Structure formats: structure tokens, C-alpha cells
Amino acid sequence: MGVSQSAFEKAIKAAVGGDEGLYAFPAKPFYQINDVKPYNLTIPIEPAAITYPKTTAQVAAIIKCAVDANLKVQARSGGHSYGNYCLGGVSGAVVIDLKHFQQFSMDRTTWRATVGAGTLLGDLSKRMHEAGNRAMAHGICPQVGIGGHATIGGLGPSSRLWGSALDHIEEVEIVLADSTIRRCSVIQNPDIFWAVKGAGASFGVVTEFTVRTEPEPGEAVEFSYTYTGGSHASRAIMFKRWQSLLADPGLTRKFATKVLIAEIGLIISGTYFGSQAEYDALDLKTKLGGEPTVETIVFTDWLGLLGHWAEDFALQLAGGLPAHFYSKTLTLNRANLIPDEVIDNLFAYFDEAEKGTLVWFAIFSLAGGAVNDIAQDATSYAHRDALIYLESYGIGLTGVSQTTKDFVSGINTTIKNGVPGAEALGLYPGYVDPELPNGPQQYWRTNLPRLEHIKAVVDPGDVFHNPQSVVPAGFKLVVGKRDRLRSFSAKTLQRASTRLIRLTLQ
């Protein structure tokens, strides 16, 4: 550490004008419960400070304090990182909590909204509705914050219609490692803008978004087909039929769906953005088969539909509240769907494997649509070919046993062993997996080299850091340590890339 802790604390206090409600340090009573609030309780963590700035100028001052003290920085919006990366991922970071950044306005000519980066998705939906019945694509958990969600991807039921949350972004305000405040768009600071749309946590603290909005959908049908009783193996046929629906390249973008597999059975659910008559014409019950319990609800109220999404079964098990959990994820595309025999193996695995917990589930979600219309290199988000995302979870009351971890990992292994090429499809950065040996490569794929070179210009000291963040070109990570080693040749490469990219940032 470059300065003593007491000097650091004094600097933080000065950065927020001495307001005691805008900072907290480890010595504060109930620091973990009231201020740290880790989302994944299996990953203990103690930040050097939690700060609650009210202005962009205060954000800039806090970043300077961290740089002077040789500490890393991460922003927190909703605080739902699976690896607690919004807290730094490891102890000792400075956290910039954005809860006070709640600004909102709607330009009724362009229908672009200005949104504070601390806004939670539930609040955002209400504010857009009240400002002219507008909406944008995002996930279903109302407690998630837009600041992280829209800078890593941001997927939800309406993404097949409108794209990911980050595809709505037209401009951002961001504070960089040198404490400068920049406006970024395709015209201003386009390289930073490109990087923020997929890897924002590695490049600065976004304090404000300008986003395009869409008219709220009219009628929508929410549906579920629940299969219980018998073995998991007996339900494999329904999953095969569901996947065959998704394989149709002509599948309407109005159709959003997922499969949840848990101890209780299998649930195929989703939303059809259209009329009851259009939905009925899909004839899902016949196509899926079996004897499910069927439920359909017709919504004409957008906020009512959003409220229904928030009651999702998986969210009730592991949604907005902190928990002890372990998760894995996998990506599939149209060319790498799961063969029938592998589906049989997977569902037999659900029957036979030791789980170590009763609270486990796997979710297969349909992606694609408008998200995949955009070129792979148009933003740093690198999953424009994904068709299905898998999320697997094991949850414990006081911790997660090795048995449960092995079970969850085994879901991925069972699929990957039978799906050639699955490893090359990368992993969605919103479902971080701290155990990945090559996380950045998995999250950003072919876009990683460009990200590293931009990072070398705007954050050469790697101030905005977590265990799987983008590192500057020329830096070498030392596993398990925060130090970086740099060779002479790497320095030369960085200087060359710095000159090149700096020209594009001017």
C-alpha cells in the first residue's frame, strides 16, 4: 500500500465532503451486514472501503484516493455478481456503490432515456412506464442494477425482440482511472464506448446511461408446462421436443422460453409477445407432449407482466437475496445443440448423481433473435452466435458441500463430453465462474485482444480490477497475487499500442 490506512481513510472522507453516510471502513460495526453485503456467501471478502458518492465529481475523487493508495476499484450497482466482483472479488478493493445515482429523464422526441447507473431494474421499468409507456430489454430480477447488467450483456425475455440491455445504450458518462470524466458514444471516445458495451467493470465507473427505448408490448401470453412424477429420465423426451422447436431457424422472435429442471421435475415456461390466438396457433401442448399441468395467463399490462416474471420459480430459490451457492454455465449455438443420446445421459445423471442438497436446478434459456443480428465485433460483448444458455446451481443453507459442487460441475461435463465444440463457444460474462482458468478468454473470446489494448491506454495501472477482468496488453497475471510482471518486449508492445489507440481517442 502506498500510504498508511489512516491517511487513506482521511482522503476518502475528504473525497465525499466528510459526510459520514457516504463511506464505511472495516472497523465500522456490522460492516459486513450493512455495507459489504456479499451476494455469494461462499466467497468471504472484506473491501478496504465502501463508498456511496452522490456526484460524478465525488466518484472521481474516490478513484484518485484509491490510486494514491495503490488499491483496486470496482463499482457496485445492484450487487449481484456471482463471484462478488462488484466488491473486488478479493479483499482489499475500494467499492464505489452507485445507489445515489437515480437520475432519470425521457426525451419524448427521440424516446431516449437518461438513466442513473445505480437504478435497479424494477425501478427502471416503472420510470419508463410512467414516462410514456416505454421499455427496454433486461433481465427478470427487479433487484439487479442497470450499472453492471447493461455493461456485461443484460439478457431477458424481450431480448429476442429488442437485443440485450447493452444494445440499447447510445451514450455513457464514465469516470476513468485518471479521474477524468468522459462522455462516450460511437462518435465521442468510440473505443471506450465499444469496451464498455460488454466489459464495463474493467474500464471505469459508468455513472449515467443514455438508452434507446421501445414502446411497451401490447398483449402477451405467459405460459408454463409442468411435468412432475416419475423419474427425470422419463422427462428427457420433453426436453428433446423443446430443443427441436428452438432449432427451427424460422422460429418467431415473439417467442421466449426456458426449461427449468429441479428436484420437483421439469418446467417449460416462457412468454409469447402477441395475442392469445397467435399463441394458441403454436400448439405447444401437442408439440411438447406428455401430461403436463398447463397454465397460461394473458397480460395487457406491461408492469403486470414484469411483476409475474419477478415471481419466477428460480428467482424464489436464488434471486435477489444473498445465499451460499455454486454455479456453472454453458453456451450452445445452432450448430452445437445437444444430441438425443447426450440428453438421455444428462437426465439419467439427474436421477443417479449424489447432489448433496435438495435445492438445485438447471435452467436452459433460449437466446438469439435480435441479439444475434449484431456483428461479433460491433461491441465487446462476444456472444452473438449463442442460441441457448445453461445455468446450473447448487444452494446450501450454511455452505456448499464438495458433493454439491461436483454435481453441478458434472452437469456441464456430461454435456460437453457429448457436444463437440462447446468449449469454443465461450461463457456469458453475467454468469461469472471464479474457477475458470481462462475467464477473460471465455467471456470476451475474439474481442479480448482489442479490449486489452484499449485497457493499456485508459487504465495502464489496472485500477479497475477483479480476478477475471481485462488486463492491459503487455501485463502478465501472477496467479493468486495482485502483482503484474512486465517484460521489456511487452513494454515495447504497450507503448506502440498506446500511441496507436490514443490517436483514435482524440
Side-chain angles (χ1 to χ4, degrees):
M1 186 177 296
V3 294
S4 69
Q5 183 72 8
S6 59
F8 165 69
E9 292 182 359
K10 289 178 182 178
I12 288 291
K13 293 175 184 178
V16 295
D19 187 334
E20 293 184 357
L22 303 185
Y23 61 83
F25 301 111
K28 178 184 176 182
F30 307 109
Y31 180 63
Q32 284 287 328
I33 296 173
N34 294 334
D35 296 290
V36 179
K37 297 181 288 190
Y39 183 59
N40 191 338
L41 299 179
T42 64
I43 303 175
I45 193 165
E46 185 176 272
I50 307 289
T51 63
Y52 305 94
K54 290 184 174 180
T55 67
T56 305
Q58 288 181 343
V59 172
I62 292 165
I63 291 171
K64 185 178 187 306
C65 293
V67 171
D68 290 345
N70 195 26
L71 296 175
K72 303 302 182 185
V73 177
Q74 286 287 264
R76 176 170 68 182
S77 181
H80 288 76
S81 169
Y82 290 4
N84 293 334
Y85 287 175
C86 54
L87 299 170
V90 294
S91 295
V94 176
V95 177
I96 297 178
D97 189 296
L98 297 168
K99 69 177 184 178
H100 293 301
F101 287 79
Q102 296 294 320
Q103 64 267 37
F104 180 86
S105 63
M106 180 73 73
D107 184 325
R108 289 175 176 261
T109 301
T110 64
W111 292 111
R112 290 185 177 184
T114 298
V115 181
T119 307
L120 303 185
L121 299 184
D123 295 327
L124 177 63
S125 297
K126 292 176 184 176
R127 292 168 189 170
M128 286 191 171
H129 172 76
E130 292 167 356
N133 300 314
R134 306 297 290 186
M136 64 176 282
H138 57 65
I140 64 174
C141 181
Q143 297 94 354
V144 165
I146 191 69
H149 191 63
T151 55
I152 53 174
L155 302 174
S158 58
S159 289
R160 285 177 51 78
L161 286 173
W162 299 333
S164 67
L166 67 80
D167 294 327
H168 287 263
I169 300 173
E170 301 289 343
E171 185 175 319
V172 300
E173 178 183 76
I174 186 172
V175 187
L176 301 178
D178 62 1
S179 291
T180 59
I181 301 168
R182 302 279 188 94
R183 301 295 297 193
C184 303
S185 66
V186 293
I187 298 172
Q188 292 179 279
N189 302 300
D191 283 299
I192 299 174
F193 187 63
W194 180 88
V196 165
K197 293 180 72 168
S202 298
F203 290 88
V205 177
V206 174
T207 54
E208 183 176 277
F209 299 93
T210 300
V211 298
R212 69 171 172 86
T213 65
E214 299 286 344
E216 292 177 353
E219 190 172 345
V221 181
E222 192 73 5
F223 60 87
S224 66
Y225 296 76
T226 302
Y227 298 85
T228 58
S231 64
H232 286 290
S234 69
R235 295 187 279 270
I237 184 62
M238 269 65 79
F239 185 91
K240 294 174 185 177
R241 292 167 179 163
W242 175 81
Q243 184 180 247
S244 70
L245 290 174
L246 276 52
D248 178 4
L251 181 66
T252 175
R253 294 183 177 191
K254 295 182 177 182
F255 184 71
T257 182
K258 65 185 176 185
V259 171
L260 182 142
I261 304 155
E263 194 70 27
I264 63 165
L266 180 147
I267 303 173
I268 297 174
S269 63
T271 305
Y272 183 82
F273 294 97
S275 69
Q276 175 83 59
E278 288 180 85
Y279 167 76
D280 290 342
L282 294 174
D283 196 17
L284 282 183
K285 189 174 186 303
T286 300
K287 291 177 180 177
L288 295 174
E291 296 295 329
T293 300
V294 181
E295 181 181 7
T296 58
I297 307 174
V298 179
F299 287 91
T300 56
D301 171 20
W302 176 240
L303 292 186
L305 178 59
L306 295 178
H308 184 80
W309 290 347
E311 297 172 356
D312 181 87
F313 178 77
L315 284 183
Q316 304 306 309
L317 293 177
L321 298 177
H324 293 275
F325 68 91
Y326 182 80
S327 66
K328 291 289 182 183
T329 182
L330 197 63
T331 306
L332 301 168
N333 67 14
R334 200 177 303 279
N336 295 84
L337 295 177
I338 309 175
D340 283 355
E341 62 270 22
V342 179
I343 294 173
D344 290 332
N345 293 340
L346 177 63
F347 278 74
Y349 178 79
F350 289 138
D351 281 322
E352 299 164 5
E354 292 292 329
K355 301 174 180 68
T357 180
L358 292 175
V359 187
W360 63 270
F361 55 96
I363 304 172
F364 293 83
S365 300
L366 173 62
V371 178
N372 292 11
D373 288 344
I374 298 171
Q376 180 94 341
D377 61 355
T379 66
S380 60
Y381 179 76
H383 303 277
R384 301 297 182 175
D385 54 343
L387 183 66
I388 298 174
Y389 286 112
L390 163 65
E391 311 159 59
S392 304
Y393 301 86
I395 302 169
L397 292 177
T398 59
V400 180
S401 69
Q402 189 60 49
T403 299
T404 298
K405 291 181 179 180
D406 291 344
F407 165 68
V408 172
S409 297
I411 296 173
N412 268 25
T413 301
T414 301
I415 296 173
K416 288 191 292 186
N417 285 346
V419 181
E423 287 280 5
L425 298 178
L427 300 175
Y428 178 57
Y431 310 140
V432 296
D433 181 352
E435 294 185 352
L436 285 177
N438 57 345
Q441 184 62 56
Q442 291 287 305
Y443 301 144
W444 296 293
R445 304 170 74 193
T446 55
N447 290 332
L448 183 59
R450 183 180 175 189
L451 283 169
E452 291 173 336
H453 283 81
I454 297 171
K455 175 84 165 178
V457 173
V458 300
D459 185 14
D462 196 23
V463 173
F464 300 107
H465 173 86
N466 64 57
Q468 294 179 324
S469 57
V470 177
V471 298
F475 275 61
K476 185 188 296 182
L477 270 174
V478 178
V479 177
K481 299 185 178 183
R482 303 177 68 84
D483 300 321
R484 304 291 189 269
L485 300 178
R486 198 183 298 195
S487 66
F488 173 79
S489 61
K491 285 182 179 178
T492 303
L493 175 62
Q494 183 192 352
R495 283 194 291 267
S497 63
T498 298
R499 286 194 294 270
L500 177 61
I501 300 174
R502 191 165 282 146
L503 289 174
T504 69
L505 294 176
Q506 293 176 345

